[in-house]
Amino acid sequence: MSHEYDQEIKRLAGWIRDPANAEPCAGFPIDADLASKPGIYAWHGDDDARDLLGAALGPVETSPLYLGRTNGILHTRIAREHLHNTRSSTLRRSLATMLWEELDIRRAGRNTIDADSNARLTAWMLEHLSVSVVPVVERANVATIETDVLDHLDPPLNLVNVANSPGRTRLRALRRRHLAGQRDTGQHARQLHMLQAAEARDPGVVVPITRATGKGSKRSRAVRQSFWTPAGADGGA
């Protein structure tokens, strides 16, 4: 991995960590063009959301709450899935379990909640959450960039490719209690494997990082070096 790439990722992680760079979910997307690309995204919460995490998970980092990626379209992943479809959003499932009593959430099946609960959860997210999106020029680089940025952050609602912690142990227990349903050990292992695989696929500012080439790590040498530029900045996206 080159020093220039390392610095680029570090700078990007710093940008993502700042909630001032996120836009309210209720008005997403402000820039439809940026949101029409693949990329990574981060969720931030207001004071109520941070209080919720503290009460449910204990002392945790809260900026950002969650980091994700999509090889599809950012707008679709955020607005259609994270804000509306509990089955396809691990973020949404985690929030549902922490808001179970407060929003009177009702389970409709494994990893799903009923329509009224979905509507209440969406309304809560629109009121309390914001999101920053980072389109990535080359789709093949999305997963690598997300993993490398994640190394600099500790979003409490990420459960894959992060170190275990007391907060994540509590969150997994809440998810099992409210959404998993009854199952034997074999079923649990299979579901956990499927969940981890789905969350690994889970899935702004443009990140023009080129595909790396060369022997060893696929990032060991870069075809060219370039730095991401926050949208709206001089010379930016």
Side-chain angles (χ1 to χ4, degrees), residues 97 169 171-181 183 188:
T97 62
T169 297
L171 180 57
R172 290 186 178 98
L174 284 172
R175 288 167 59 121
R176 287 194 299 270
R177 180 192 310 165
H178 294 304
L179 291 174
R183 55 189 180 277
H188 172 68

Side-chain angles (χ1 to χ4, degrees), residues 63 106 130 180:
S63 186
R106 303 298 177 89
S130 57

Side-chain angles (χ1 to χ4, degrees), residues 170-237:
R170 295 187 186 99
L171 180 57
R172 290 186 178 98
L174 284 172
R175 288 167 59 121
R176 287 194 299 270
R177 180 192 310 165
H178 294 304
L179 291 174
Q182 297 298 318
R183 55 189 180 277
D184 60 32
T185 303
Q187 288 175 318
H188 172 68
R190 287 191 297 274
Q191 184 182 2
L192 181 59
H193 175 75
M194 293 174 63
L195 176 61
Q196 289 173 334
E199 289 177 336
R201 294 191 300 270
D202 205 21
V205 199
V206 170
V207 187
I209 299 176
T210 62
R211 184 181 306 181
T213 61
K215 296 181 179 180
S217 168
K218 66 179 180 179
R219 299 190 305 274
S220 59
R221 278 183 288 163
V223 176
R224 62 180 175 84
Q225 295 295 335
S226 56
F227 290 85
W228 70 282
T229 304
D234 291 342

Side-chain angles (χ1 to χ4, degrees), residues 133-174:
V133 295
V134 183
V136 173
V137 172
E138 293 189 37
R139 182 177 279 104
N141 291 330
V142 172
T144 296
I145 293 169
E146 184 215 26
T147 298
D148 292 341
V149 169
L150 194 59
D151 286 344
H152 293 271
L153 304 172
D154 189 31
L157 301 186
N158 281 74
L159 296 175
V160 175
N161 297 325
V162 290
N164 198 16
S165 66
R168 292 188 176 99
T169 297
R170 295 187 186 99
L171 180 57
R172 290 186 178 98
L174 284 172

